[in-house]
Amino acid sequence: METYDTYSSWKTFQTFFPEEWRITSEFKPVEYYWNWEDFNVHVDHYYVDSSKKKHKLILLHGGGGNGRLLSPIGVFFQKLGYECIAPDLPGFGLTKIHKPNSYYTWINLVNELVNQELKKSKSPIVLCGISLGGMLAYQVACLNKNINGLIVTSLADTRKKSVQMGLSKNKWFGAFSPTLLNGASRITDDIKIPIKWTTKMWAMANNPEFVKALMNDKIGSGSAVYLKFFRTLFEVSLKIEPEDFNTCPLLFLQPEKDYIIPWSMSKPFYDALPCKKEMIILKNCGHIPLEKPGINQMIDAAISFLEKL
């Protein structure tokens, strides 16, 4: 089985992370594979020696990411005593796919991962979603009543034309691709295209050198994606509409300089939620939040949220 030792990309990424958030010989994930349906899912698992904290965190990446890209979050919380799990969702990372996969696959996979982890221990589960992982976390919380809390950086409702246009690299893809992909799904579902053709990959981070490194990652932002994934992402239904959601508390951490999913894109969905919630603007942070003072705000807010649950 492949491990991340086979790839150098993630090691390059470490240089862009705060030093205290980098993987070391002491603080690092254990890698393994989890067999689920047709997938052999790669997992980065950040274990702790003892259960210092009661909550277990499941970290969810978005499009163009993978579980290892979330290592700064895993390492940071591992140091605090929180157990963290970061799966590579099908289509990215080391989780291989042999046929076109859909966004529904992501939802069902994470839902089952939650169930599996609850069988291993009674630790309450908190879902942490970055980028599209934010709405993914919400989708899973609609299915699974065992979610104790959500920490997200976006809630982009991809059913909305305005969101489809905002996420897309150009107006053509945003305006016409949902209709085209639905109408010609028998043909288009099997087609793979580079993810950089679809969205504003230049805005993944504020550091141009980091963006360049991300674009060269063949198992992340430099990979190709089946059009079936985008079709189902744009058409996905919600089990619970936002105005009816009261399953668990929500912490929303909005990067101030996020040019892929700005606050205006998530605000309508967030405002409709009646659950206990809090929103914080991460000053000076981009789509992947790494800049100060925003990352300090993120740390303080996340720790406070988890301690109050």
Side-chain angles (χ1 to χ4, degrees):
M1 292 291 184
E2 280 191 310
T3 72
Y4 272 97
D5 286 339
T6 312
Y7 295 86
S8 61
S9 54
W10 71 270
K11 297 174 185 177
T12 302
F13 299 160
Q14 297 292 299
T15 62
F16 298 102
F17 301 151
E19 188 172 355
E20 63 272 23
W21 292 13
R22 297 175 190 172
I23 290 175
T24 65
S25 58
E26 184 180 2
F27 296 100
K28 60 183 179 181
V30 172
E31 297 181 67
Y32 59 83
Y33 283 84
W34 168 51
N35 288 313
W36 176 76
E37 294 194 354
D38 295 331
F39 301 94
N40 205 13
V41 182
H42 179 275
V43 177
D44 271 351
H45 200 138
Y46 299 81
Y47 289 98
V48 291
D49 291 338
S50 59
S51 184
K52 298 178 183 178
K53 305 293 183 180
K54 69 176 184 177
H55 287 95
K56 183 185 296 186
L57 311 183
I58 296 180
L59 314 180
L60 304 175
H61 64 78
N66 52 47
R68 185 55 60 96
L69 186 58
L70 303 183
S71 64
I73 302 172
V75 167
F76 179 79
F77 280 107
Q78 185 183 38
K79 287 183 175 181
L80 292 179
Y82 288 96
E83 184 179 357
C84 296
I85 298 166
D88 285 345
L89 299 172
F92 297 98
L94 302 184
T95 298
K96 306 299 183 186
I97 56 175
H98 307 290
K99 61 182 180 180
N101 65 300
S102 77
Y103 180 66
Y104 294 105
T105 303
W106 281 23
I107 298 171
N108 295 331
L109 185 154
V110 177
N111 182 49
E112 185 56 31
L113 180 60
V114 169
N115 293 334
Q116 292 297 316
E117 290 304 317
L118 287 170
K119 291 178 182 178
K120 295 178 184 178
S121 71
K122 295 181 180 180
S123 299
I125 301 291
V126 174
L127 298 180
C128 302
I130 305 298
S131 185
L132 290 180
M135 184 57 82
L136 174 62
Y138 175 86
Q139 291 270 15
V140 175
C142 290
L143 288 177
N144 200 312
K145 302 306 180 184
N146 295 309
I147 306 302
N148 208 233
L150 299 176
I151 301 175
V152 303
T153 64
S154 74
L155 284 171
D157 188 348
T158 53
R159 301 173 299 173
K160 307 295 185 183
K161 177 59 70 175
S162 59
V163 173
Q164 294 169 6
M165 294 289 288
L167 286 174
S168 298
K169 183 177 182 178
N170 55 58
K171 292 182 178 179
W172 184 92
F173 191 81
F176 299 109
S177 60
T179 301
L180 177 62
L181 295 178
N182 280 325
S185 60
R186 290 186 180 181
I187 300 171
T188 59
D189 275 359
D190 289 342
I191 298 173
K192 256 188 171 184
I193 63 171
I195 192 170
K196 64 183 179 182
W197 291 3
T198 67
T199 193
K200 306 164 188 172
M201 301 305 291
W202 58 267
M204 283 285 285
N206 286 347
N207 185 325
E209 291 302 312
F210 186 26
V211 172
K212 184 178 179 180
L214 287 167
M215 297 288 279
N216 289 327
D217 183 13
K218 299 304 181 184
I219 52 173
S221 299
S223 64
V225 182
Y226 282 109
L227 287 176
K228 181 178 180 179
F229 178 82
F230 291 107
R231 176 176 66 80
T232 51
L233 174 67
F234 292 152
E235 73 174 18
V236 67
S237 60
L238 295 177
K239 294 295 183 183
I240 303 176
E241 291 294 333
E243 56 269 20
D244 298 320
F245 181 83
N246 211 4
T247 300
C248 63
L250 166 74
L251 174 62
F252 193 104
L253 302 170
Q254 174 66 52
E256 181 183 35
K257 297 181 179 180
D258 187 341
Y259 301 115
I260 296 181
I261 308 180
W263 170 234
S264 59
M265 196 179 290
S266 297
K267 185 178 185 298
F269 199 94
Y270 176 88
D271 286 347
L273 294 167
C275 63
K276 184 178 180 181
K277 60 187 180 181
E278 180 181 9
M279 194 278 286
I280 294 173
I281 298 292
L282 304 180
K283 298 293 185 181
N284 200 40
C285 282
H287 186 69
I288 298 177
L290 293 172
E291 295 81 13
K292 292 182 178 180
I295 58 171
N296 293 330
Q297 295 175 276
M298 179 171 64
I299 291 166
D300 292 342
I303 292 173
S304 176
F305 177 79
L306 290 169
E307 289 178 347
K308 291 176 182 177
L309 286 178

